[in-house]
Amino acid sequence: MISFASIQLPPPPPLRHHHSTLVSAHLHKTTMYQPDRFRFFPHVSSISSSARPVHSGSSLASVAPLEAILFDIDGTLCDSDPLHFYAFRDMLQEIGFNGGTPITEEFFIKNISGKHNEELREILLPDWEIQRSRKFLEDKEALFRRLASEQLQPMKGLQKLCKWIEDCGLRRAAVTNAPRSNAELLISMLGLSDFFESLVLASECDRVKPFPDPYLKALQELGISHHHAFVFEDSVSGIKAGTGAGMPVVGLGTRNPEQLLTEAGAVFVIEDFDDPKLWTELEELKIKAEVTTTTEL
């Protein structure tokens, strides 16, 4: 797991009463961060869902022969959580949230990470008028996109994994709680615009993650059974959504603790896409596919 602690923030500017002025100022600043390791906080409250998760195990054997892999975007394809943390931290401080005391990493993980903006309105700004709170979150996303356009890095091993998926002829989709503008920017910056066959936005489904609807829609668009697909996710809400759709989920533990992701239902947790645990599983799936093909012949 990697820390936000080494994010190099500029000194907080004076409080302002209008966040539109705030975001305008921030869009002209550059904030560099350099990840480092640290021990994450031990507990994040669970998220309830009416979805029925698959049982957590230790392998992906149940999906053989593998036909598709589905990906979350933020925190999975790229290490974007530090940029979201910075944007929320600075903008919430400027509107006097929590008495003007900056939010902590623990607060971000517990209350913000992986959640849809409509849910965040109720969590962060419950007393604001709907349009005002939506505008605040839109401005936060604009600040995030500016930071991402300057500093975004792919998750380690992503290029290697994508090549393996293409070489195996697997189907693929990206499934996210993020706004379309964020999702399309990140996919484009990562050079994956032609890689994904489908982009599913939770906001265009009946229910967002942690409900299974976004992943069920992705399976439908690909024409793939949940019996032959699995998911990469980095958050509790995303893991619950994937397992609720009947698929095994591999957790990305770059920012969240392994125990938390395992308790949410991940079959196992990896540090990044270079993790030997992942490649052992993928090679076993490839062997199973080759054996199946030989048997059918």
Side-chain angles (χ1 to χ4, degrees):
M1 294 170 290
I2 300 174
S3 171
F4 301 150
S6 59
I7 301 174
Q8 300 176 4
L9 301 177
L15 294 179
R16 299 182 179 89
H17 298 292
H18 302 290
H19 64 263
S20 59
T21 303
L22 161 69
V23 74
S24 176
H26 282 308
L27 289 177
H28 291 87
K29 294 193 299 185
T30 299
T31 303
M32 298 302 295
Y33 74 93
Q34 297 180 0
D36 197 1
R37 292 181 179 273
F38 87 121
R39 181 178 59 83
F40 249 94
F41 301 93
H43 176 72
V44 175
S45 59
S46 62
I47 301 174
S48 63
S49 168
S50 62
R52 297 178 61 188
V54 296
H55 293 293
S56 178
S58 59
S59 78
L60 298 173
S62 64
V63 300
L66 179 64
E67 297 178 3
I69 299 180
L70 282 58
F71 291 81
D72 173 49
I73 298 178
D74 269 304
T76 300
L77 294 176
C78 51
D79 187 18
S80 53
D81 269 5
L83 305 181
H84 284 292
F85 172 73
Y86 169 72
F88 271 115
R89 181 182 185 269
D90 213 27
M91 290 187 65
L92 287 172
Q93 182 182 11
E94 298 246 0
I95 62 170
F97 182 84
N98 192 32
T101 301
I103 63 170
T104 63
E105 296 165 9
E106 180 179 22
F107 181 89
F108 177 84
I109 296 167
K110 182 177 180 179
N111 298 286
I112 297 176
S113 180
K115 293 183 172 64
H116 191 272
N117 277 351
E118 285 300 299
E119 187 178 3
L120 290 176
R121 286 197 310 103
E122 298 297 326
I123 295 172
L124 301 175
L125 307 166
D127 299 326
W128 283 29
E129 294 180 356
I130 292 177
Q131 292 306 315
R132 184 186 178 202
S133 59
R134 284 177 175 168
K135 180 62 167 62
F136 176 88
L137 290 168
E138 288 171 3
D139 287 347
K140 174 265 161 184
E141 300 300 353
L143 175 56
F144 165 77
R145 287 192 295 273
R146 174 59 182 268
L147 295 172
S149 68
E150 298 170 344
Q151 303 181 44
L152 189 72
Q153 295 294 325
M155 192 64 68
K156 186 180 178 183
L158 177 63
Q159 184 176 2
K160 174 184 176 182
L161 176 61
C162 290
K163 184 179 186 304
W164 184 89
I165 291 171
E166 290 178 327
D167 290 345
C168 292
L170 301 177
R171 311 292 298 279
R172 52 267 191 185
V175 183
T176 181
N177 266 357
R180 178 176 291 278
S181 52
N182 286 23
E184 291 180 345
L185 173 67
L186 298 187
I187 288 175
S188 174
M189 289 189 63
L190 293 168
L192 299 177
S193 297
D194 295 328
F195 176 77
F196 288 111
E197 301 173 58
S198 175
L199 169 61
V200 175
L201 304 175
S203 59
E204 297 178 359
C205 300
D206 290 337
R207 299 175 300 179
V208 302
K209 302 176 189 179
F211 292 98
D213 304 42
Y215 280 111
L216 291 173
K217 182 178 180 181
L219 289 171
Q220 182 180 31
E221 290 188 357
L222 293 177
I224 297 294
S225 165
H226 67 274
H227 293 297
H228 301 293
F230 75 88
V231 175
F232 285 112
E233 271 281 2
D234 74 304
S235 69
V236 168
S237 63
I239 291 172
K240 286 182 177 291
T243 59
M247 292 177 287
V249 179
V250 177
L252 268 293
T254 307
R255 297 290 171 188
N256 288 320
E258 180 173 353
Q259 180 180 353
L260 176 68
L261 301 183
T262 301
E263 289 174 353
V267 290
F268 59 90
V269 177
I270 58 176
E271 184 69 21
D272 52 46
F273 295 126
D274 273 342
D275 196 311
K277 285 187 292 185
L278 172 64
W279 288 97
T280 297
E281 294 287 340
L282 293 181
E283 289 306 317
E284 289 181 359
L285 282 173
K286 187 174 181 180
I287 291 171
K288 287 179 180 292
E290 292 170 350
V291 169
T292 300
T293 300
T294 302
T295 302
E296 290 176 350
L297 294 175

